[in-house]
PDB file of all heavy atoms in Angstrom:
ATOM      1  N   LYS A 158      59.855  -2.323 -27.473  1.00 97.00           N
ATOM      2  CA  LYS A 158      61.170  -1.768 -27.773  1.00 97.00           C
ATOM      3  C   LYS A 158      61.965  -1.547 -26.487  1.00 97.00           C
ATOM      4  O   LYS A 158      61.426  -1.558 -25.390  1.00 97.00           O
ATOM      5  CB  LYS A 158      61.038  -0.445 -28.527  1.00 97.00           C
ATOM      6  CG  LYS A 158      60.191  -0.505 -29.781  1.00 97.00           C
ATOM      7  CD  LYS A 158      60.803  -1.404 -30.834  1.00 97.00           C
ATOM      8  CE  LYS A 158      59.971  -1.387 -32.108  1.00 97.00           C
ATOM      9  NZ  LYS A 158      60.558  -2.283 -33.149  1.00 97.00           N
ATOM     10  N   VAL A 159      63.254  -1.344 -26.652  1.00 97.00           N
ATOM     11  CA  VAL A 159      64.098  -1.037 -25.511  1.00 97.00           C
ATOM     12  C   VAL A 159      63.928   0.420 -25.122  1.00 97.00           C
ATOM     13  O   VAL A 159      63.512   1.254 -25.922  1.00 97.00           O
ATOM     14  CB  VAL A 159      65.579  -1.338 -25.817  1.00 97.00           C
ATOM     15  CG1 VAL A 159      65.768  -2.811 -26.144  1.00 97.00           C
ATOM     16  CG2 VAL A 159      66.085  -0.478 -26.963  1.00 97.00           C
ATOM     17  N   ARG A 160      64.252   0.706 -23.878  1.00 97.00           N
ATOM     18  CA  ARG A 160      64.202   2.070 -23.408  1.00 97.00           C
ATOM     19  C   ARG A 160      65.343   2.871 -24.036  1.00 97.00           C
ATOM     20  O   ARG A 160      66.479   2.394 -24.103  1.00 97.00           O
ATOM     21  CB  ARG A 160      64.296   2.104 -21.888  1.00 97.00           C
ATOM     22  CG  ARG A 160      64.057   3.463 -21.274  1.00 97.00           C
ATOM     23  CD  ARG A 160      63.946   3.367 -19.752  1.00 97.00           C
ATOM     24  NE  ARG A 160      62.815   2.529 -19.348  1.00 97.00           N
ATOM     25  CZ  ARG A 160      62.462   2.330 -18.091  1.00 97.00           C
ATOM     26  NH1 ARG A 160      63.142   2.898 -17.103  1.00 97.00           N
ATOM     27  NH2 ARG A 160      61.429   1.546 -17.816  1.00 97.00           N
ATOM     28  N   GLU A 161      65.040   4.081 -24.491  1.00 97.00           N
ATOM     29  CA  GLU A 161      66.039   4.898 -25.147  1.00 97.00           C
ATOM     30  C   GLU A 161      66.087   6.294 -24.542  1.00 97.00           C
ATOM     31  O   GLU A 161      65.083   6.828 -24.073  1.00 97.00           O
ATOM     32  CB  GLU A 161      65.779   4.983 -26.652  1.00 97.00           C
ATOM     33  CG  GLU A 161      64.435   5.569 -27.030  1.00 97.00           C
ATOM     34  CD  GLU A 161      64.163   5.520 -28.523  1.00 97.00           C
ATOM     35  OE1 GLU A 161      65.055   5.075 -29.281  1.00 97.00           O
ATOM     36  OE2 GLU A 161      63.060   5.924 -28.940  1.00 97.00           O
ATOM     37  N   LEU A 162      67.261   6.864 -24.580  1.00 98.00           N
ATOM     38  CA  LEU A 162      67.466   8.193 -24.037  1.00 98.00           C
ATOM     39  C   LEU A 162      66.905   9.241 -24.981  1.00 98.00           C
ATOM     40  O   LEU A 162      67.148   9.197 -26.190  1.00 98.00           O
ATOM     41  CB  LEU A 162      68.958   8.434 -23.810  1.00 98.00           C
ATOM     42  CG  LEU A 162      69.372   9.788 -23.231  1.00 98.00           C
ATOM     43  CD1 LEU A 162      68.828   9.960 -21.821  1.00 98.00           C
ATOM     44  CD2 LEU A 162      70.894   9.919 -23.237  1.00 98.00           C
ATOM     45  N   VAL A 163      66.164  10.196 -24.428  1.00 98.00           N
ATOM     46  CA  VAL A 163      65.571  11.272 -25.207  1.00 98.00           C
ATOM     47  C   VAL A 163      66.382  12.552 -25.075  1.00 98.00           C
ATOM     48  O   VAL A 163      66.762  13.170 -26.072  1.00 98.00           O
ATOM     49  CB  VAL A 163      64.113  11.523 -24.785  1.00 98.00           C
ATOM     50  CG1 VAL A 163      63.532  12.726 -25.528  1.00 98.00           C
ATOM     51  CG2 VAL A 163      63.266  10.286 -25.039  1.00 98.00           C
ATOM     52  N   ALA A 164      66.631  12.970 -23.845  1.00 98.00           N
ATOM     53  CA  ALA A 164      67.345  14.216 -23.607  1.00 98.00           C
ATOM     54  C   ALA A 164      67.880  14.235 -22.192  1.00 98.00           C
ATOM     55  O   ALA A 164      67.327  13.594 -21.294  1.00 98.00           O
ATOM     56  CB  ALA A 164      66.437  15.428 -23.836  1.00 98.00           C
ATOM     57  N   THR A 165      68.953  14.973 -21.993  1.00 98.00           N
ATOM     58  CA  THR A 165      69.545  15.131 -20.674  1.00 98.00           C
ATOM     59  C   THR A 165      69.752  16.605 -20.385  1.00 98.00           C
ATOM     60  O   THR A 165      69.871  17.429 -21.292  1.00 98.00           O
ATOM     61  CB  THR A 165      70.900  14.416 -20.552  1.00 98.00           C
ATOM     62  OG1 THR A 165      71.850  15.030 -21.430  1.00 98.00           O
ATOM     63  CG2 THR A 165      70.766  12.939 -20.904  1.00 98.00           C
ATOM     64  N   ILE A 166      69.821  16.919 -19.101  1.00 97.00           N
ATOM     65  CA  ILE A 166      70.111  18.283 -18.684  1.00 97.00           C
ATOM     66  C   ILE A 166      70.901  18.235 -17.389  1.00 97.00           C
ATOM     67  O   ILE A 166      70.553  17.523 -16.446  1.00 97.00           O
ATOM     68  CB  ILE A 166      68.822  19.121 -18.536  1.00 97.00           C
ATOM     69  CG1 ILE A 166      69.159  20.575 -18.202  1.00 97.00           C
ATOM     70  CG2 ILE A 166      67.874  18.513 -17.508  1.00 97.00           C
ATOM     71  CD1 ILE A 166      67.963  21.512 -18.354  1.00 97.00           C
ATOM     72  N   SER A 167      71.986  18.973 -17.351  1.00 96.00           N
ATOM     73  CA  SER A 167      72.812  19.035 -16.163  1.00 96.00           C
ATOM     74  C   SER A 167      72.225  20.016 -15.168  1.00 96.00           C
ATOM     75  O   SER A 167      71.292  20.766 -15.470  1.00 96.00           O
ATOM     76  CB  SER A 167      74.240  19.449 -16.531  1.00 96.00           C
ATOM     77  OG  SER A 167      74.277  20.818 -16.906  1.00 96.00           O
ATOM     78  N   ARG A 168      72.800  20.032 -13.968  1.00 91.00           N
ATOM     79  CA  ARG A 168      72.326  20.963 -12.958  1.00 91.00           C
ATOM     80  C   ARG A 168      72.496  22.405 -13.426  1.00 91.00           C
ATOM     81  O   ARG A 168      71.669  23.267 -13.106  1.00 91.00           O
ATOM     82  CB  ARG A 168      73.078  20.745 -11.645  1.00 91.00           C
ATOM     83  CG  ARG A 168      72.639  21.684 -10.539  1.00 91.00           C
ATOM     84  CD  ARG A 168      73.248  21.321  -9.202  1.00 91.00           C
ATOM     85  NE  ARG A 168      72.832  22.244  -8.156  1.00 91.00           N
ATOM     86  CZ  ARG A 168      71.669  22.193  -7.526  1.00 91.00           C
ATOM     87  NH1 ARG A 168      70.800  21.240  -7.818  1.00 91.00           N
ATOM     88  NH2 ARG A 168      71.375  23.085  -6.586  1.00 91.00           N
ATOM     89  N   GLY A 169      73.544  22.657 -14.190  1.00 91.00           N
ATOM     90  CA  GLY A 169      73.796  23.993 -14.702  1.00 91.00           C
ATOM     91  C   GLY A 169      73.015  24.348 -15.950  1.00 91.00           C
ATOM     92  O   GLY A 169      73.111  25.489 -16.420  1.00 91.00           O
ATOM     93  N   GLY A 170      72.271  23.402 -16.497  1.00 93.00           N
ATOM     94  CA  GLY A 170      71.423  23.694 -17.637  1.00 93.00           C
ATOM     95  C   GLY A 170      71.950  23.264 -18.986  1.00 93.00           C
ATOM     96  O   GLY A 170      71.310  23.543 -20.009  1.00 93.00           O
ATOM     97  N   SER A 171      73.081  22.589 -19.024  1.00 97.00           N
ATOM     98  CA  SER A 171      73.586  22.083 -20.297  1.00 97.00           C
ATOM     99  C   SER A 171      72.714  20.931 -20.769  1.00 97.00           C
ATOM    100  O   SER A 171      72.368  20.046 -19.992  1.00 97.00           O
ATOM    101  CB  SER A 171      75.031  21.620 -20.159  1.00 97.00           C
ATOM    102  OG  SER A 171      75.881  22.699 -19.806  1.00 97.00           O
ATOM    103  N   THR A 172      72.371  20.930 -22.046  1.00 98.00           N
ATOM    104  CA  THR A 172      71.440  19.941 -22.580  1.00 98.00           C
ATOM    105  C   THR A 172      72.051  19.130 -23.706  1.00 98.00           C
ATOM    106  O   THR A 172      72.958  19.577 -24.409  1.00 98.00           O
ATOM    107  CB  THR A 172      70.160  20.614 -23.093  1.00 98.00           C
ATOM    108  OG1 THR A 172      70.504  21.552 -24.134  1.00 98.00           O
ATOM    109  CG2 THR A 172      69.454  21.355 -21.975  1.00 98.00           C
ATOM    110  N   ASN A 173      71.524  17.929 -23.860  1.00 97.00           N
ATOM    111  CA  ASN A 173      71.860  17.058 -24.970  1.00 97.00           C
ATOM    112  C   ASN A 173      70.591  16.357 -25.422  1.00 97.00           C
ATOM    113  O   ASN A 173      69.741  16.013 -24.604  1.00 97.00           O
ATOM    114  CB  ASN A 173      72.915  16.019 -24.578  1.00 97.00           C
ATOM    115  CG  ASN A 173      74.265  16.620 -24.291  1.00 97.00           C
ATOM    116  OD1 ASN A 173      74.635  16.843 -23.143  1.00 97.00           O
ATOM    117  ND2 ASN A 173      75.021  16.908 -25.354  1.00 97.00           N
ATOM    118  N   TYR A 174      70.477  16.138 -26.727  1.00 98.00           N
ATOM    119  CA  TYR A 174      69.287  15.553 -27.300  1.00 98.00           C
ATOM    120  C   TYR A 174      69.625  14.401 -28.220  1.00 98.00           C
ATOM    121  O   TYR A 174      70.636  14.424 -28.922  1.00 98.00           O
ATOM    122  CB  TYR A 174      68.500  16.584 -28.105  1.00 98.00           C
ATOM    123  CG  TYR A 174      67.968  17.735 -27.293  1.00 98.00           C
ATOM    124  CD1 TYR A 174      68.705  18.904 -27.150  1.00 98.00           C
ATOM    125  CD2 TYR A 174      66.728  17.655 -26.670  1.00 98.00           C
ATOM    126  CE1 TYR A 174      68.225  19.965 -26.407  1.00 98.00           C
ATOM    127  CE2 TYR A 174      66.238  18.714 -25.925  1.00 98.00           C
ATOM    128  CZ  TYR A 174      66.993  19.864 -25.797  1.00 98.00           C
ATOM    129  OH  TYR A 174      66.509  20.923 -25.057  1.00 98.00           O
ATOM    130  N   ALA A 175      68.761  13.404 -28.220  1.00 97.00           N
ATOM    131  CA  ALA A 175      68.851  12.369 -29.226  1.00 97.00           C
ATOM    132  C   ALA A 175      68.517  12.972 -30.582  1.00 97.00           C
ATOM    133  O   ALA A 175      67.724  13.915 -30.680  1.00 97.00           O
ATOM    134  CB  ALA A 175      67.890  11.230 -28.907  1.00 97.00           C
ATOM    135  N   ASP A 176      69.113  12.432 -31.625  1.00 97.00           N
ATOM    136  CA  ASP A 176      68.908  12.980 -32.959  1.00 97.00           C
ATOM    137  C   ASP A 176      67.436  12.977 -33.372  1.00 97.00           C
ATOM    138  O   ASP A 176      66.983  13.875 -34.089  1.00 97.00           O
ATOM    139  CB  ASP A 176      69.738  12.211 -33.987  1.00 97.00           C
ATOM    140  CG  ASP A 176      71.222  12.498 -33.881  1.00 97.00           C
ATOM    141  OD1 ASP A 176      71.591  13.536 -33.289  1.00 97.00           O
ATOM    142  OD2 ASP A 176      72.019  11.687 -34.404  1.00 97.00           O
ATOM    143  N   PHE A 177      66.691  11.996 -32.924  1.00 95.00           N
ATOM    144  CA  PHE A 177      65.312  11.872 -33.384  1.00 95.00           C
ATOM    145  C   PHE A 177      64.362  12.890 -32.762  1.00 95.00           C
ATOM    146  O   PHE A 177      63.205  12.989 -33.175  1.00 95.00           O
ATOM    147  CB  PHE A 177      64.790  10.438 -33.163  1.00 95.00           C
ATOM    148  CG  PHE A 177      64.914   9.921 -31.759  1.00 95.00           C
ATOM    149  CD1 PHE A 177      64.000  10.259 -30.782  1.00 95.00           C
ATOM    150  CD2 PHE A 177      65.956   9.059 -31.420  1.00 95.00           C
ATOM    151  CE1 PHE A 177      64.107   9.767 -29.493  1.00 95.00           C
ATOM    152  CE2 PHE A 177      66.076   8.557 -30.131  1.00 95.00           C
ATOM    153  CZ  PHE A 177      65.152   8.916 -29.167  1.00 95.00           C
ATOM    154  N   VAL A 178      64.829  13.666 -31.789  1.00 94.00           N
ATOM    155  CA  VAL A 178      63.984  14.710 -31.203  1.00 94.00           C
ATOM    156  C   VAL A 178      64.604  16.090 -31.303  1.00 94.00           C
ATOM    157  O   VAL A 178      63.946  17.087 -30.962  1.00 94.00           O
ATOM    158  CB  VAL A 178      63.642  14.423 -29.724  1.00 94.00           C
ATOM    159  CG1 VAL A 178      62.950  13.077 -29.578  1.00 94.00           C
ATOM    160  CG2 VAL A 178      64.901  14.479 -28.856  1.00 94.00           C
ATOM    161  N   LYS A 179      65.817  16.162 -31.767  1.00 90.00           N
ATOM    162  CA  LYS A 179      66.509  17.439 -31.854  1.00 90.00           C
ATOM    163  C   LYS A 179      65.721  18.429 -32.713  1.00 90.00           C
ATOM    164  O   LYS A 179      65.223  18.084 -33.785  1.00 90.00           O
ATOM    165  CB  LYS A 179      67.909  17.237 -32.428  1.00 90.00           C
ATOM    166  CG  LYS A 179      68.865  18.387 -32.164  1.00 90.00           C
ATOM    167  CD  LYS A 179      70.268  18.039 -32.607  1.00 90.00           C
ATOM    168  CE  LYS A 179      71.258  19.146 -32.276  1.00 90.00           C
ATOM    169  NZ  LYS A 179      71.412  19.320 -30.804  1.00 90.00           N
ATOM    170  N   ASN A 180      65.608  19.645 -32.232  1.00 94.00           N
ATOM    171  CA  ASN A 180      64.881  20.731 -32.877  1.00 94.00           C
ATOM    172  C   ASN A 180      63.366  20.591 -32.778  1.00 94.00           C
ATOM    173  O   ASN A 180      62.632  21.422 -33.321  1.00 94.00           O
ATOM    174  CB  ASN A 180      65.289  20.907 -34.343  1.00 94.00           C
ATOM    175  CG  ASN A 180      66.759  21.226 -34.509  1.00 94.00           C
ATOM    176  OD1 ASN A 180      67.303  22.045 -33.772  1.00 94.00           O
ATOM    177  ND2 ASN A 180      67.404  20.586 -35.476  1.00 94.00           N
ATOM    178  N   ARG A 181      62.903  19.572 -32.082  1.00 98.00           N
ATOM    179  CA  ARG A 181      61.470  19.410 -31.840  1.00 98.00           C
ATOM    180  C   ARG A 181      61.142  19.450 -30.350  1.00 98.00           C
ATOM    181  O   ARG A 181      60.113  19.993 -29.961  1.00 98.00           O
ATOM    182  CB  ARG A 181      60.949  18.104 -32.435  1.00 98.00           C
ATOM    183  CG  ARG A 181      61.084  18.015 -33.947  1.00 98.00           C
ATOM    184  CD  ARG A 181      60.304  16.814 -34.489  1.00 98.00           C
ATOM    185  NE  ARG A 181      60.806  15.552 -33.956  1.00 98.00           N
ATOM    186  CZ  ARG A 181      60.079  14.678 -33.261  1.00 98.00           C
ATOM    187  NH1 ARG A 181      58.788  14.931 -33.018  1.00 98.00           N
ATOM    188  NH2 ARG A 181      60.614  13.542 -32.830  1.00 98.00           N
ATOM    189  N   PHE A 182      61.991  18.835 -29.547  1.00 98.00           N
ATOM    190  CA  PHE A 182      61.772  18.764 -28.104  1.00 98.00           C
ATOM    191  C   PHE A 182      62.735  19.696 -27.379  1.00 98.00           C
ATOM    192  O   PHE A 182      63.855  19.928 -27.832  1.00 98.00           O
ATOM    193  CB  PHE A 182      62.003  17.345 -27.576  1.00 98.00           C
ATOM    194  CG  PHE A 182      61.001  16.323 -28.041  1.00 98.00           C
ATOM    195  CD1 PHE A 182      60.031  16.618 -28.993  1.00 98.00           C
ATOM    196  CD2 PHE A 182      61.042  15.041 -27.519  1.00 98.00           C
ATOM    197  CE1 PHE A 182      59.116  15.662 -29.413  1.00 98.00           C
ATOM    198  CE2 PHE A 182      60.137  14.077 -27.926  1.00 98.00           C
ATOM    199  CZ  PHE A 182      59.174  14.387 -28.874  1.00 98.00           C
ATOM    200  N   THR A 183      62.308  20.191 -26.234  1.00 98.00           N
ATOM    201  CA  THR A 183      63.146  21.034 -25.404  1.00 98.00           C
ATOM    202  C   THR A 183      63.066  20.566 -23.959  1.00 98.00           C
ATOM    203  O   THR A 183      61.978  20.492 -23.387  1.00 98.00           O
ATOM    204  CB  THR A 183      62.730  22.509 -25.480  1.00 98.00           C
ATOM    205  OG1 THR A 183      62.795  22.963 -26.835  1.00 98.00           O
ATOM    206  CG2 THR A 183      63.662  23.365 -24.628  1.00 98.00           C
ATOM    207  N   ILE A 184      64.208  20.246 -23.384  1.00 98.00           N
ATOM    208  CA  ILE A 184      64.270  19.851 -21.986  1.00 98.00           C
ATOM    209  C   ILE A 184      64.662  21.064 -21.150  1.00 98.00           C
ATOM    210  O   ILE A 184      65.480  21.878 -21.567  1.00 98.00           O
ATOM    211  CB  ILE A 184      65.263  18.684 -21.783  1.00 98.00           C
ATOM    212  CG1 ILE A 184      65.182  18.148 -20.353  1.00 98.00           C
ATOM    213  CG2 ILE A 184      66.686  19.095 -22.132  1.00 98.00           C
ATOM    214  CD1 ILE A 184      66.002  16.871 -20.141  1.00 98.00           C
ATOM    215  N   SER A 185      64.072  21.188 -19.979  1.00 97.00           N
ATOM    216  CA  SER A 185      64.389  22.288 -19.086  1.00 97.00           C
ATOM    217  C   SER A 185      64.185  21.839 -17.649  1.00 97.00           C
ATOM    218  O   SER A 185      63.615  20.775 -17.396  1.00 97.00           O
ATOM    219  CB  SER A 185      63.536  23.527 -19.400  1.00 97.00           C
ATOM    220  OG  SER A 185      62.157  23.246 -19.226  1.00 97.00           O
ATOM    221  N   ARG A 186      64.648  22.642 -16.718  1.00 95.00           N
ATOM    222  CA  ARG A 186      64.476  22.316 -15.308  1.00 95.00           C
ATOM    223  C   ARG A 186      64.363  23.587 -14.492  1.00 95.00           C
ATOM    224  O   ARG A 186      64.899  24.636 -14.859  1.00 95.00           O
ATOM    225  CB  ARG A 186      65.631  21.443 -14.792  1.00 95.00           C
ATOM    226  CG  ARG A 186      66.997  22.115 -14.836  1.00 95.00           C
ATOM    227  CD  ARG A 186      68.121  21.122 -14.535  1.00 95.00           C
ATOM    228  NE  ARG A 186      68.168  20.738 -13.130  1.00 95.00           N
ATOM    229  CZ  ARG A 186      68.978  19.804 -12.629  1.00 95.00           C
ATOM    230  NH1 ARG A 186      69.795  19.144 -13.441  1.00 95.00           N
ATOM    231  NH2 ARG A 186      68.961  19.524 -11.337  1.00 95.00           N
ATOM    232  N   ASP A 187      63.677  23.466 -13.387  1.00 94.00           N
ATOM    233  CA  ASP A 187      63.544  24.537 -12.423  1.00 94.00           C
ATOM    234  C   ASP A 187      64.125  24.000 -11.125  1.00 94.00           C
ATOM    235  O   ASP A 187      63.471  23.233 -10.411  1.00 94.00           O
ATOM    236  CB  ASP A 187      62.085  24.947 -12.254  1.00 94.00           C
ATOM    237  CG  ASP A 187      61.905  26.160 -11.356  1.00 94.00           C
ATOM    238  OD1 ASP A 187      62.779  26.410 -10.507  1.00 94.00           O
ATOM    239  OD2 ASP A 187      60.889  26.857 -11.501  1.00 94.00           O
TER     240      ASP A 187
END
Side-chain angles (χ1 to χ4, degrees):
K158 306 296 183 181
V159 299
R160 188 171 298 183
E161 59 185 357
L162 180 65
V163 175
T165 65
I166 184 167
S167 71
R168 180 172 179 80
S171 297
T172 60
N173 292 99
Y174 297 92
D176 288 341
F177 54 81
V178 302
K179 198 173 183 65
N180 300 316
R181 298 191 298 121
F182 293 7
T183 302
I184 188 172
S185 61
R186 63 190 287 174
D187 186 335

